[in-house]
């Protein structure tokens, strides 16, 4: 009776190996996508930020993270830099959103991968 509980046959059917390989490739692809998107949005955000800093446009993190506050509070103060303000705000929010989604997907697929290991 003691041996039955301790014996574990390691048999991996082709479907499990295919799923494992698929998940590994998917995780690697998501990680790579996260890196590429991070670099892409970082360049765009810093380009807009540089313009705003050079022109001494002042705003708080609370303002820049809220589309409504950007339009109601920041843009009226600096109408000549409205394009850069909107670009910075939207790219920053989009970067955070995409990074969060990709991180959740990587975590989810990593958990599934650990389950099938």
């Amino acid at each position: 009776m003691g041996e039955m509980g301790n014996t574990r046959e390691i048999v991996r059917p082709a479907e499990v190996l295919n799923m494992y390989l698929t998940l590994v490739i998917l995780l690697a692809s998501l990680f790579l996508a996260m890196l590429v998107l991070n670099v892409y949005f970082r360049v765009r955000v810093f380009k807009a930020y540089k313009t705003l800093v050079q022109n001494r446009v002042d705003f708080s993190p609370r303002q820049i993270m809220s589309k409504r506050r950007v339009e109601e509070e920041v843009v009226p103060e600096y109408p000549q830099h409205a394009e850069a303000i909107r670009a910075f705000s939207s790219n920053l929010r989009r970067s955070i959103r995409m990074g969060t989604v990709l991180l959740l997907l990587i975590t989810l697929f990593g958990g599934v991968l650990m389950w099938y290991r």
Side-chain angles (χ1 to χ4, degrees):
M1 185 167 151
E3 283 189 39
M4 282 181 51
N6 291 335
T7 60
R8 184 175 173 183
E9 209 174 313
I10 300 177
V11 177
R12 294 197 173 195
E15 297 89 28
V16 174
L17 288 175
N18 285 339
M19 179 181 250
Y20 184 80
L21 183 61
T22 302
L23 286 172
V24 168
I25 291 170
L26 187 61
L27 272 172
S29 300
L30 286 172
F31 187 76
L32 186 62
M34 188 170 157
L35 287 176
V36 169
L37 284 173
N38 185 1
V39 170
Y40 173 73
F41 279 110
R42 186 167 292 202
V43 167
R44 290 186 66 177
V45 166
F46 278 126
K47 183 179 172 187
Y49 184 71
K50 181 181 174 187
T51 303
L52 296 175
V53 168
Q54 286 174 345
N55 292 303
R56 300 179 199 261
V57 176
D58 190 33
F59 50 83
S60 71
R62 176 179 281 170
Q63 289 173 321
I64 213 67
M65 294 307 288
S66 169
K67 195 177 214 179
R68 181 185 59 81
R69 286 184 183 222
V70 165
E71 293 301 327
E72 291 176 1
E73 298 172 11
V74 182
V75 171
E77 284 186 46
Y78 306 99
Q80 66 276 21
H81 305 294
E83 186 73 27
I85 293 168
R86 288 184 184 114
F88 175 72
S89 176
S90 67
N91 286 333
L92 187 62
R93 283 193 314 271
R94 191 176 310 141
S95 172
I96 291 170
R97 196 176 324 122
M98 285 183 161
T100 302
V101 168
L102 286 173
L103 189 61
L104 288 174
L105 286 173
I106 289 170
T107 303
L108 175 72
F109 289 129
V112 171
L113 186 63
M114 287 179 65
W115 179 265
Y116 282 102
R117 193 175 169 128

